[in-house]
Amino acid sequence: MDKELIHHFIIEALKEDVGDGDHTSLSTIPSDSTGKAKLLVKDEGILAGVELALEIFKVVDANLKVNVFLNDGAVIKPKDVAFEVEGNSQSILKAERLVLNCMQRMSGIATKTRQIVDLLKDTHTKVLDTRKTTPGMRYLEKWAVRIGGGVNHRFGLYDMILIKDNHVDYAGGIRQAIERANQYLIDHNKKLAIEIEVRNLDELDQVLQAGHVNRILLDNFNFADLKQAVDVIQGRFITEASGGITIDNIRGYAECGVDYISVGALTHSIKSLDLSLKAI
């Protein structure tokens, strides 16, 4: 966990939610009132965000005490209790919504990821996330993917070169794009992996002739072409498949022999798990 990044996220999220005060709690609950609450599970899936919740409670009120019963990655079902928090009642309520918003979404992502990871069992293919994330929550969402058993792709535009179709078209072709990317790394003394997207077997052939990349993204290939592409590459480059891949067909794509399958739906199209923080 990147504590500095997480701390910044929590501070900004609390500013957005609390503003100049939680006036409902301030007006109805004595300032010295203490209480206890439990994180109640109302759904089935994979729990995620417990470690984050501990940091949120700590930032809101360092005197809050949390007793954790279920950790990140645990399989959960309705009526499970993930943790109990005890201390100042106003502090518990101030933290409540941020804890729930984060944990519900992270648990939904972890659950979807685990579902796909389970579908890929007994293949060597791993599932990747993408940059299709909620602005400001990318770190949390990619963290949830890891909790679910998936693998993080690049975090942003800065930590990898990924030459996609638009880059190729603007650069004037595959060879030009690859050559310029490699020269850029030399000129700027950077060590970044280079991945290039190909749309068909002809573009794959151009990449194989050009070389000087680390990974090839096979986009919107059907099963037959994907299998042929993997056979042609012969392990010389890391392979990744994307586009048109669903729960129903992902196993078939994995059986074509690709190293990775990237699934944008892990973070942009998930159902949050139903969790609640209840006073006890």
Side-chain angles (χ1 to χ4, degrees):
M1 177 174 60
D2 185 332
K3 288 210 169 187
E4 183 177 348
L5 187 153
I6 289 298
H7 183 80
H8 176 75
F9 166 79
I10 294 170
I11 294 297
E12 292 304 310
L14 288 171
K15 283 181 183 177
E16 177 185 63
D17 195 34
V18 179
D20 69 346
D22 172 9
H23 299 302
T24 307
S25 295
L26 291 171
S27 65
T28 61
I29 301 171
S31 60
D32 60 352
S33 172
T34 60
K36 196 173 183 180
K38 62 183 178 181
L39 194 289
L40 181 64
V41 176
K42 302 164 75 175
D43 230 333
E44 293 184 353
I46 302 299
L47 185 65
V50 175
E51 192 175 352
L52 173 63
L54 296 178
E55 293 300 314
I56 294 171
F57 286 127
K58 190 184 301 181
V59 170
V60 169
D61 184 344
N63 292 315
L64 290 175
K65 296 178 181 178
V66 185
N67 190 12
V68 176
F69 306 122
L70 296 170
N71 293 306
D72 289 329
V75 178
I76 52 175
K77 63 186 185 303
K79 298 185 179 179
D80 282 345
V81 174
F83 57 73
E84 292 178 353
V85 56
E86 185 174 7
N88 182 272
S89 300
Q90 291 185 357
S91 296
I92 292 173
L93 291 173
K94 183 185 293 186
E96 175 187 11
R97 181 45 51 194
L98 180 55
V99 166
L100 289 175
N101 283 348
C102 293
M103 289 193 66
Q104 287 175 324
R105 182 155 183 81
M106 288 180 70
S107 295
I109 292 169
T111 299
K112 175 63 72 175
T113 304
R114 181 68 59 83
Q115 182 183 9
I116 293 176
V117 168
D118 287 345
L119 287 172
L120 300 185
K121 275 182 180 175
D122 304 319
T123 73
H124 84 280
T125 305
K126 294 180 172 59
V127 62
L128 288 173
D129 55 22
T130 70
R131 285 171 50 242
K132 297 175 183 177
T133 56
T134 308
M137 291 191 68
R138 181 172 296 176
Y139 183 88
L140 307 187
E141 293 177 350
K142 283 180 169 282
W143 186 2
V145 168
R146 295 197 305 275
I147 291 170
V151 178
N152 293 151
H153 207 315
R154 58 177 180 163
F155 191 85
L157 294 171
Y158 57 85
D159 58 349
M160 184 181 187
I161 289 180
L162 175 44
I163 305 169
K164 303 197 79 175
D165 52 358
N166 283 338
H167 300 98
V168 168
D169 292 342
Y170 285 145
I174 285 174
R175 181 175 292 277
Q176 294 95 319
I178 292 175
E179 289 177 351
R180 288 172 181 166
N182 278 278
Q183 189 60 51
Y184 177 89
L185 294 180
I186 293 170
D187 293 344
H188 293 81
N189 193 31
K190 289 187 173 295
K191 293 183 179 179
L192 299 174
I194 297 177
E195 178 173 9
I196 187 164
E197 176 185 274
V198 297
R199 294 166 280 194
N200 50 56
L201 293 169
D202 177 63
E203 289 190 345
L204 173 60
D205 184 59
Q206 293 179 53
V207 171
L208 295 178
Q209 290 183 42
H212 300 291
V213 298
N214 304 99
R215 183 182 298 187
I216 299 175
L217 172 57
L218 304 152
D219 189 49
N220 283 301
F221 276 52
N222 59 41
F223 288 156
D225 286 349
L226 184 62
K227 182 68 168 66
Q228 183 178 344
V230 171
D231 290 342
V232 168
I233 293 169
Q234 294 183 326
R236 288 174 288 172
F237 303 95
I238 297 169
T239 55
E240 176 186 340
S242 71
I245 301 173
T246 67
I247 288 289
D248 296 327
N249 63 23
I250 194 168
R251 175 80 187 193
Y253 277 93
E255 289 173 346
C256 291
V258 290
D259 299 305
Y260 295 102
I261 295 175
S262 50
V263 182
L266 289 182
T267 51
H268 74 60
S269 299
I270 61 98
K271 174 184 174 294
S272 295
L273 256 59
D274 192 0
L275 309 170
S276 63
L277 194 66
K278 293 293 185 184
I280 54 176

